Amino acid sequence: MVSAPGRVNLIGEHIDYHGLPVLPMALRRSVRVRFEPRQDRRITAESEQYEPRAFEWTPNLAPVAAGDWENYLRAAAQAIGGKWGVMNGIDAHIASDLPPAAGLSSSSALLVAFTLALLRANGREASFEELMEILPDGEQFVGTRGGGMDHAASLGSKEGCASLVSFAPISVCHVPIPPGWAFLVAHSMHTAEKSGAVRERYNAVRAAGNEALRELGFASYAEAVAKADLAGMTQKVFLHVVSEARRVMECVEAMRADEPERFGKLLLDSHASLRDRLEVSSPALDRLVEAAMAGGALGARLTGAGFGGCVVVLCRRDGIDRVREGLLRSFYRSGPALLFEAEAGAGAVHS
């Protein structure tokens, strides 16, 4: 059995695919794959949530219908095959306590867990760096042009810490979360399925960011952050990416200095930028942030790609019950609620 956790991104949204650092933490919720090795190249998988799937592992797999969960299984096989060649298949049973399409990286956790299962069934161990060479591009097999944050957090996080993930070269720096801090994850009760209808809008955000960079004449956002004079800039996406990158590093400083009010203010600034510049928030997410603040939170923002899903809420440890009760009373009322404390867990390679 292998297990890969989901993650909640504390800050650094829509910037990992531009090569800029982000600050997620792994959750203590995961995708778990129990498997039996096969002696042929057939892959079968059953799940508690979806219909069974089966296919032959060949060198050039093609995606199936958009939105089909089999694409993540095929992505894992294709990613491994591109680096190490086609191997023997497995019979797998998949279970998860991560809510799907909630912005908590359930899809990337599935990709990570299934990749590890295929490798271990074939007696091959891969390093963190080797896995990060193949997993981000592997997920693009599904059609989502994302970055490497989710896979890095799922693989390389450490219990009790946020993970400052940097790219080029890939690295994870573990930042201890002060004991007086607590985070809640609150679901807006609207899903954001990136492999379905939202995919084109998600990919358009990335494309707009790349276009802004080209128009401004910079080779990378790392160069832009260092050199750009933002006076007079009107490109919304560019402004979000540059300001969000700065917020990530300020949040790391605030966490290390145990300054929760500063951290909370940066979360609110991030949400405002995602709402007003990238336009990836929703009325439900905005109401959820407002309800959290009215209940005594220090900060809150949408987490994940947006378009639905969850918000992450910063509270004082001794005030978390009050914030939780306020959300249940003012946002969820008598309807369904998906609200839980996000405790920083370990990544798959640190389990």
Side-chain angles (χ1 to χ4, degrees), residues 44-319:
T44 73
E46 57 181 32
S47 163
E48 297 173 351
Q49 296 175 303
Y50 305 109
E51 293 294 319
R53 292 290 183 264
F55 60 94
E56 199 75 14
W57 189 353
T58 60
N60 295 299
L61 291 168
V64 293
D68 193 318
W69 77 286
E70 183 180 326
N71 282 321
Y72 291 98
L73 314 181
R74 287 175 171 251
Q78 185 71 5
I80 291 171
K83 185 172 179 63
W84 292 291
V86 172
M87 303 180 185
N88 287 339
I90 59 174
D91 295 320
H93 177 81
I94 298 166
S96 174
D97 56 358
L98 283 165
L104 301 178
S105 196
S106 60
S107 59
S108 294
L110 172 59
L111 176 62
V112 169
F114 208 75
T115 298
L116 292 175
L118 289 172
L119 288 170
R120 291 178 185 178
N122 284 279
R124 179 177 287 276
E125 292 294 326
S127 68
F128 171 79
E129 290 78 12
E130 287 175 321
L131 290 165
M132 287 302 298
E133 285 179 19
I134 65 171
L135 287 171
D137 287 343
E139 187 144 353
Q140 293 179 10
F141 176 93
V142 182
T144 304
R145 310 297 294 179
M149 168 180 64
D150 299 349
H151 316 92
S154 187
L155 287 167
S157 292
K158 182 179 179 181
E159 187 171 349
C161 296
S163 293
L164 178 62
V165 181
S166 300
F167 305 94
I170 184 70
S171 67
V172 177
C173 176
H174 300 122
V175 184
I177 298 172
W181 296 27
F183 292 97
L184 287 170
V185 167
H187 201 303
S188 67
M189 308 315 294
H190 291 266
T191 58
E193 184 57 74
K194 285 193 298 183
S195 64
V198 169
R199 182 176 63 189
E200 294 308 315
R201 178 72 179 91
Y202 177 90
N203 290 341
V205 172
R206 175 174 181 161
N210 289 335
E211 182 61 28
L213 199 64
R214 285 192 293 269
E215 288 184 8
L216 292 166
F218 293 107
S220 67
Y221 271 98
E223 179 185 351
V225 169
K227 299 180 179 179
D229 179 0
L230 297 179
M233 293 290 184
T234 59
Q235 186 55 259
K236 287 183 177 181
V237 174
F238 181 87
L239 287 173
H240 168 77
V241 172
V242 172
S243 62
E244 186 79 347
R246 290 172 175 165
R247 282 188 289 270
V248 169
M249 303 315 297
E250 289 181 33
C251 275
V252 171
E253 293 174 2
M255 186 170 280
R256 287 173 171 161
D258 194 1
E259 297 175 346
E261 292 88 354
R262 180 185 175 194
F263 196 103
K265 173 62 165 55
L266 291 162
L267 294 186
L268 292 171
D269 291 345
S270 175
H271 183 80
S273 183
L274 289 160
R275 180 193 64 216
D276 300 336
R277 288 171 173 161
L278 291 197
E279 300 178 4
V280 299
S281 189
S282 70
L285 288 167
D286 295 341
R287 290 196 306 271
L288 197 45
V289 168
E290 291 167 3
M293 296 307 296
L298 298 176
R301 70 173 197 92
L302 73 85
T303 185
F307 313 104
C310 295
V311 303
V312 59
V313 181
L314 173 63
C315 319
R316 295 187 186 279
R317 170 63 57 189
D318 58 10

